[in-house]
Amino acid sequence: MDLKFKKLKQTIADTLLALQDLADVKRKKYAEESYPTKMDVIGVTTPNLRLVLKEFRRQTQTYSKNEIYSLLRELIEMNILELQLLAFEYFKTDNELTKTVSFSQMDALGKNLDNWLSVDTFATMVVGKALLAEVIALDNLFTYSKSKDPWQRRVVLVATTCLNNKNNLSQNDIDTTKKLFKLYVDDHQGMIVKALSWALREFIKTDEEMVQQFISDYESKLHKSVLREVKSKLIFGVKN
């Protein structure tokens, strides 16, 4: 067996064992009810997941960026929710890794996006992080917006909530964001409606005038809950 491959496999085995040792029946039941998934669920709380992440980082501190990326891909291929989330968390905290990945490599990490927690974590910690690092452009998000899968489409809207953290958002970025939002005005699927409301409310912090105009332009098409929540945010500063 290749020494590099053997090392990666051992790291995965150690990580999985650590997570299994922290398994909690109540957490597993909560996860299965709150964000059902086809992946296996161990039942690990977020604080404990981050404890394992800390040890995972210690074990991989001598790994090359290519080895780390390969390791994250392997974690995701295991089809276990906690390993997927750990991979996303790792990506978010490794600035150098973010700078080395291409859009296709980043996209490959988005496997098994079949529940809101996985989608939102991927959209913010992976896609959002790549946007802020300017490794990918907003135009790349049109790829997700064309998907028949509502979870893939949701990635776009959730990722835009990270733009508030980008310094000096360009007019091109604002215009592109508006074009992305426009693609969803007729999409009344439940998780999309919630995400569009969230994205618009967050974008008020970046360009309130654009959001006001957007709501006015598409009032006849937008879902009533989007209109109600965004208007409330514009007028009163709160969702409801």
Side-chain angles (χ1 to χ4, degrees), residues 67-88:
E67 287 176 326
I68 290 173
Y69 176 76
S70 296
L71 184 53
L72 298 188
R73 283 289 306 273
E74 287 294 324
L75 289 178
I76 289 167
E77 291 291 336
M78 294 288 286
N79 295 324
I80 297 174
L81 176 66
E82 285 82 0
L83 288 179
Q84 180 200 58
L85 296 177
L86 187 142
F88 294 164

PDB file of all heavy atoms in Angstrom, residues 67-88:
ATOM      1  N   GLU A  67      -2.318  16.802   0.099  1.00  0.00           N
ATOM      2  CA  GLU A  67      -2.688  15.699   0.982  1.00  0.00           C
ATOM      3  C   GLU A  67      -3.910  16.057   1.818  1.00  0.00           C
ATOM      4  O   GLU A  67      -4.808  15.228   2.015  1.00  0.00           O
ATOM      5  CB  GLU A  67      -1.522  15.336   1.902  1.00  0.00           C
ATOM      6  CG  GLU A  67      -0.387  14.623   1.206  1.00  0.00           C
ATOM      7  CD  GLU A  67       0.795  14.372   2.111  1.00  0.00           C
ATOM      8  OE1 GLU A  67       1.069  15.218   2.990  1.00  0.00           O
ATOM      9  OE2 GLU A  67       1.449  13.331   1.952  1.00  0.00           O
ATOM     10  N   ILE A  68      -3.954  17.289   2.294  1.00  0.00           N
ATOM     11  CA  ILE A  68      -5.104  17.724   3.101  1.00  0.00           C
ATOM     12  C   ILE A  68      -6.374  17.731   2.256  1.00  0.00           C
ATOM     13  O   ILE A  68      -7.425  17.259   2.696  1.00  0.00           O
ATOM     14  CB  ILE A  68      -4.843  19.110   3.712  1.00  0.00           C
ATOM     15  CG1 ILE A  68      -3.768  19.009   4.797  1.00  0.00           C
ATOM     16  CG2 ILE A  68      -6.127  19.692   4.309  1.00  0.00           C
ATOM     17  CD1 ILE A  68      -3.312  20.328   5.354  1.00  0.00           C
ATOM     18  N   TYR A  69      -6.265  18.246   1.030  1.00  0.00           N
ATOM     19  CA  TYR A  69      -7.448  18.250   0.168  1.00  0.00           C
ATOM     20  C   TYR A  69      -7.914  16.818  -0.097  1.00  0.00           C
ATOM     21  O   TYR A  69      -9.116  16.528  -0.024  1.00  0.00           O
ATOM     22  CB  TYR A  69      -7.150  18.961  -1.153  1.00  0.00           C
ATOM     23  CG  TYR A  69      -8.325  18.897  -2.104  1.00  0.00           C
ATOM     24  CD1 TYR A  69      -9.436  19.711  -1.919  1.00  0.00           C
ATOM     25  CD2 TYR A  69      -8.347  17.968  -3.151  1.00  0.00           C
ATOM     26  CE1 TYR A  69     -10.539  19.617  -2.754  1.00  0.00           C
ATOM     27  CE2 TYR A  69      -9.444  17.875  -3.989  1.00  0.00           C
ATOM     28  CZ  TYR A  69     -10.533  18.701  -3.794  1.00  0.00           C
ATOM     29  OH  TYR A  69     -11.625  18.597  -4.610  1.00  0.00           O
ATOM     30  N   SER A  70      -6.985  15.931  -0.380  1.00  0.00           N
ATOM     31  CA  SER A  70      -7.341  14.526  -0.611  1.00  0.00           C
ATOM     32  C   SER A  70      -8.003  13.928   0.622  1.00  0.00           C
ATOM     33  O   SER A  70      -8.964  13.147   0.510  1.00  0.00           O
ATOM     34  CB  SER A  70      -6.092  13.711  -0.972  1.00  0.00           C
ATOM     35  OG  SER A  70      -5.530  14.151  -2.182  1.00  0.00           O
ATOM     36  N   LEU A  71      -7.509  14.302   1.776  1.00  0.00           N
ATOM     37  CA  LEU A  71      -8.068  13.806   3.030  1.00  0.00           C
ATOM     38  C   LEU A  71      -9.496  14.302   3.228  1.00  0.00           C
ATOM     39  O   LEU A  71     -10.390  13.543   3.622  1.00  0.00           O
ATOM     40  CB  LEU A  71      -7.176  14.249   4.194  1.00  0.00           C
ATOM     41  CG  LEU A  71      -7.533  13.751   5.592  1.00  0.00           C
ATOM     42  CD1 LEU A  71      -7.665  12.243   5.627  1.00  0.00           C
ATOM     43  CD2 LEU A  71      -6.499  14.216   6.601  1.00  0.00           C
ATOM     44  N   LEU A  72      -9.732  15.570   2.944  1.00  0.00           N
ATOM     45  CA  LEU A  72     -11.085  16.122   3.070  1.00  0.00           C
ATOM     46  C   LEU A  72     -12.041  15.423   2.110  1.00  0.00           C
ATOM     47  O   LEU A  72     -13.188  15.131   2.456  1.00  0.00           O
ATOM     48  CB  LEU A  72     -11.077  17.630   2.804  1.00  0.00           C
ATOM     49  CG  LEU A  72     -10.244  18.496   3.757  1.00  0.00           C
ATOM     50  CD1 LEU A  72     -10.497  19.979   3.476  1.00  0.00           C
ATOM     51  CD2 LEU A  72     -10.533  18.183   5.214  1.00  0.00           C
ATOM     52  N   ARG A  73     -11.577  15.141   0.905  1.00  0.00           N
ATOM     53  CA  ARG A  73     -12.413  14.415  -0.059  1.00  0.00           C
ATOM     54  C   ARG A  73     -12.755  13.025   0.477  1.00  0.00           C
ATOM     55  O   ARG A  73     -13.889  12.558   0.355  1.00  0.00           O
ATOM     56  CB  ARG A  73     -11.683  14.280  -1.398  1.00  0.00           C
ATOM     57  CG  ARG A  73     -11.658  15.540  -2.251  1.00  0.00           C
ATOM     58  CD  ARG A  73     -13.020  15.885  -2.837  1.00  0.00           C
ATOM     59  NE  ARG A  73     -13.616  14.798  -3.585  1.00  0.00           N
ATOM     60  CZ  ARG A  73     -13.390  14.553  -4.880  1.00  0.00           C
ATOM     61  NH1 ARG A  73     -12.568  15.349  -5.572  1.00  0.00           N
ATOM     62  NH2 ARG A  73     -13.989  13.553  -5.493  1.00  0.00           N
ATOM     63  N   GLU A  74     -11.774  12.378   1.075  1.00  0.00           N
ATOM     64  CA  GLU A  74     -12.007  11.043   1.625  1.00  0.00           C
ATOM     65  C   GLU A  74     -13.003  11.079   2.782  1.00  0.00           C
ATOM     66  O   GLU A  74     -13.849  10.195   2.914  1.00  0.00           O
ATOM     67  CB  GLU A  74     -10.682  10.424   2.089  1.00  0.00           C
ATOM     68  CG  GLU A  74      -9.758   9.987   0.981  1.00  0.00           C
ATOM     69  CD  GLU A  74     -10.322   8.833   0.170  1.00  0.00           C
ATOM     70  OE1 GLU A  74     -10.988   7.953   0.739  1.00  0.00           O
ATOM     71  OE2 GLU A  74     -10.097   8.815  -1.053  1.00  0.00           O
ATOM     72  N   LEU A  75     -12.900  12.106   3.612  1.00  0.00           N
ATOM     73  CA  LEU A  75     -13.840  12.247   4.729  1.00  0.00           C
ATOM     74  C   LEU A  75     -15.273  12.343   4.199  1.00  0.00           C
ATOM     75  O   LEU A  75     -16.192  11.721   4.732  1.00  0.00           O
ATOM     76  CB  LEU A  75     -13.511  13.491   5.553  1.00  0.00           C
ATOM     77  CG  LEU A  75     -12.243  13.473   6.406  1.00  0.00           C
ATOM     78  CD1 LEU A  75     -12.065  14.820   7.107  1.00  0.00           C
ATOM     79  CD2 LEU A  75     -12.275  12.354   7.431  1.00  0.00           C
ATOM     80  N   ILE A  76     -15.454  13.135   3.164  1.00  0.00           N
ATOM     81  CA  ILE A  76     -16.783  13.334   2.591  1.00  0.00           C
ATOM     82  C   ILE A  76     -17.293  12.063   1.924  1.00  0.00           C
ATOM     83  O   ILE A  76     -18.483  11.747   1.984  1.00  0.00           O
ATOM     84  CB  ILE A  76     -16.754  14.530   1.625  1.00  0.00           C
ATOM     85  CG1 ILE A  76     -16.605  15.831   2.437  1.00  0.00           C
ATOM     86  CG2 ILE A  76     -18.002  14.575   0.753  1.00  0.00           C
ATOM     87  CD1 ILE A  76     -16.252  17.046   1.635  1.00  0.00           C
ATOM     88  N   GLU A  77     -16.393  11.305   1.297  1.00  0.00           N
ATOM     89  CA  GLU A  77     -16.777  10.061   0.634  1.00  0.00           C
ATOM     90  C   GLU A  77     -17.247   8.998   1.628  1.00  0.00           C
ATOM     91  O   GLU A  77     -17.896   8.025   1.239  1.00  0.00           O
ATOM     92  CB  GLU A  77     -15.600   9.500  -0.182  1.00  0.00           C
ATOM     93  CG  GLU A  77     -15.231  10.317  -1.405  1.00  0.00           C
ATOM     94  CD  GLU A  77     -16.302  10.258  -2.489  1.00  0.00           C
ATOM     95  OE1 GLU A  77     -17.070   9.281  -2.513  1.00  0.00           O
ATOM     96  OE2 GLU A  77     -16.366  11.197  -3.294  1.00  0.00           O
ATOM     97  N   MET A  78     -16.970   9.180   2.901  1.00  0.00           N
ATOM     98  CA  MET A  78     -17.386   8.215   3.926  1.00  0.00           C
ATOM     99  C   MET A  78     -18.893   8.230   4.159  1.00  0.00           C
ATOM    100  O   MET A  78     -19.444   7.345   4.798  1.00  0.00           O
ATOM    101  CB  MET A  78     -16.654   8.499   5.243  1.00  0.00           C
ATOM    102  CG  MET A  78     -15.147   8.280   5.202  1.00  0.00           C
ATOM    103  SD  MET A  78     -14.694   6.550   5.143  1.00  0.00           S
ATOM    104  CE  MET A  78     -15.040   6.060   6.836  1.00  0.00           C
ATOM    105  N   ASN A  79     -19.573   9.266   3.671  1.00  0.00           N
ATOM    106  CA  ASN A  79     -21.036   9.373   3.798  1.00  0.00           C
ATOM    107  C   ASN A  79     -21.506   9.374   5.258  1.00  0.00           C
ATOM    108  O   ASN A  79     -22.517   8.748   5.604  1.00  0.00           O
ATOM    109  CB  ASN A  79     -21.742   8.245   3.033  1.00  0.00           C
ATOM    110  CG  ASN A  79     -21.532   8.335   1.537  1.00  0.00           C
ATOM    111  OD1 ASN A  79     -21.477   9.430   0.980  1.00  0.00           O
ATOM    112  ND2 ASN A  79     -21.387   7.204   0.890  1.00  0.00           N
ATOM    113  N   ILE A  80     -20.762  10.078   6.080  1.00  0.00           N
ATOM    114  CA  ILE A  80     -21.116  10.246   7.498  1.00  0.00           C
ATOM    115  C   ILE A  80     -21.237  11.745   7.764  1.00  0.00           C
ATOM    116  O   ILE A  80     -20.305  12.506   7.482  1.00  0.00           O
ATOM    117  CB  ILE A  80     -20.057   9.621   8.421  1.00  0.00           C
ATOM    118  CG1 ILE A  80     -19.984   8.106   8.180  1.00  0.00           C
ATOM    119  CG2 ILE A  80     -20.368   9.916   9.888  1.00  0.00           C
ATOM    120  CD1 ILE A  80     -18.860   7.417   8.939  1.00  0.00           C
ATOM    121  N   LEU A  81     -22.366  12.170   8.288  1.00  0.00           N
ATOM    122  CA  LEU A  81     -22.649  13.590   8.464  1.00  0.00           C
ATOM    123  C   LEU A  81     -21.531  14.311   9.211  1.00  0.00           C
ATOM    124  O   LEU A  81     -21.064  15.372   8.770  1.00  0.00           O
ATOM    125  CB  LEU A  81     -23.972  13.774   9.217  1.00  0.00           C
ATOM    126  CG  LEU A  81     -24.357  15.215   9.557  1.00  0.00           C
ATOM    127  CD1 LEU A  81     -24.642  16.009   8.291  1.00  0.00           C
ATOM    128  CD2 LEU A  81     -25.568  15.246  10.488  1.00  0.00           C
ATOM    129  N   GLU A  82     -21.105  13.773  10.329  1.00  0.00           N
ATOM    130  CA  GLU A  82     -20.098  14.471  11.140  1.00  0.00           C
ATOM    131  C   GLU A  82     -18.753  14.593  10.429  1.00  0.00           C
ATOM    132  O   GLU A  82     -18.050  15.596  10.604  1.00  0.00           O
ATOM    133  CB  GLU A  82     -19.916  13.752  12.487  1.00  0.00           C
ATOM    134  CG  GLU A  82     -21.053  13.987  13.475  1.00  0.00           C
ATOM    135  CD  GLU A  82     -22.263  13.098  13.246  1.00  0.00           C
ATOM    136  OE1 GLU A  82     -22.237  12.270  12.308  1.00  0.00           O
ATOM    137  OE2 GLU A  82     -23.227  13.226  14.013  1.00  0.00           O
ATOM    138  N   LEU A  83     -18.384  13.601   9.637  1.00  0.00           N
ATOM    139  CA  LEU A  83     -17.130  13.701   8.873  1.00  0.00           C
ATOM    140  C   LEU A  83     -17.246  14.768   7.792  1.00  0.00           C
ATOM    141  O   LEU A  83     -16.285  15.490   7.508  1.00  0.00           O
ATOM    142  CB  LEU A  83     -16.787  12.353   8.250  1.00  0.00           C
ATOM    143  CG  LEU A  83     -16.311  11.265   9.214  1.00  0.00           C
ATOM    144  CD1 LEU A  83     -16.023   9.974   8.450  1.00  0.00           C
ATOM    145  CD2 LEU A  83     -15.073  11.697   9.988  1.00  0.00           C
ATOM    146  N   GLN A  84     -18.422  14.875   7.182  1.00  0.00           N
ATOM    147  CA  GLN A  84     -18.657  15.909   6.183  1.00  0.00           C
ATOM    148  C   GLN A  84     -18.529  17.300   6.816  1.00  0.00           C
ATOM    149  O   GLN A  84     -17.840  18.182   6.297  1.00  0.00           O
ATOM    150  CB  GLN A  84     -20.049  15.742   5.578  1.00  0.00           C
ATOM    151  CG  GLN A  84     -20.400  16.790   4.521  1.00  0.00           C
ATOM    152  CD  GLN A  84     -21.899  16.902   4.306  1.00  0.00           C
ATOM    153  OE1 GLN A  84     -22.639  17.171   5.248  1.00  0.00           O
ATOM    154  NE2 GLN A  84     -22.340  16.688   3.088  1.00  0.00           N
ATOM    155  N   LEU A  85     -19.199  17.490   7.956  1.00  0.00           N
ATOM    156  CA  LEU A  85     -19.164  18.791   8.629  1.00  0.00           C
ATOM    157  C   LEU A  85     -17.760  19.128   9.096  1.00  0.00           C
ATOM    158  O   LEU A  85     -17.331  20.289   9.036  1.00  0.00           O
ATOM    159  CB  LEU A  85     -20.132  18.781   9.819  1.00  0.00           C
ATOM    160  CG  LEU A  85     -21.613  18.613   9.460  1.00  0.00           C
ATOM    161  CD1 LEU A  85     -22.456  18.532  10.731  1.00  0.00           C
ATOM    162  CD2 LEU A  85     -22.105  19.746   8.568  1.00  0.00           C
ATOM    163  N   LEU A  86     -17.023  18.113   9.560  1.00  0.00           N
ATOM    164  CA  LEU A  86     -15.646  18.345   9.997  1.00  0.00           C
ATOM    165  C   LEU A  86     -14.787  18.813   8.819  1.00  0.00           C
ATOM    166  O   LEU A  86     -13.960  19.714   8.963  1.00  0.00           O
ATOM    167  CB  LEU A  86     -15.078  17.065  10.606  1.00  0.00           C
ATOM    168  CG  LEU A  86     -13.690  17.189  11.260  1.00  0.00           C
ATOM    169  CD1 LEU A  86     -13.623  16.328  12.525  1.00  0.00           C
ATOM    170  CD2 LEU A  86     -12.581  16.770  10.315  1.00  0.00           C
ATOM    171  N   ALA A  87     -15.009  18.226   7.650  1.00  0.00           N
ATOM    172  CA  ALA A  87     -14.261  18.639   6.457  1.00  0.00           C
ATOM    173  C   ALA A  87     -14.566  20.089   6.093  1.00  0.00           C
ATOM    174  O   ALA A  87     -13.660  20.868   5.762  1.00  0.00           O
ATOM    175  CB  ALA A  87     -14.610  17.723   5.281  1.00  0.00           C
ATOM    176  N   PHE A  88     -15.835  20.479   6.193  1.00  0.00           N
ATOM    177  CA  PHE A  88     -16.214  21.862   5.893  1.00  0.00           C
ATOM    178  C   PHE A  88     -15.581  22.828   6.900  1.00  0.00           C
ATOM    179  O   PHE A  88     -15.097  23.899   6.534  1.00  0.00           O
ATOM    180  CB  PHE A  88     -17.734  22.019   5.918  1.00  0.00           C
ATOM    181  CG  PHE A  88     -18.466  21.263   4.843  1.00  0.00           C
ATOM    182  CD1 PHE A  88     -19.836  21.049   4.938  1.00  0.00           C
ATOM    183  CD2 PHE A  88     -17.800  20.772   3.724  1.00  0.00           C
ATOM    184  CE1 PHE A  88     -20.528  20.364   3.948  1.00  0.00           C
ATOM    185  CE2 PHE A  88     -18.483  20.080   2.718  1.00  0.00           C
ATOM    186  CZ  PHE A  88     -19.847  19.869   2.840  1.00  0.00           C
TER     187      PHE A  88
END
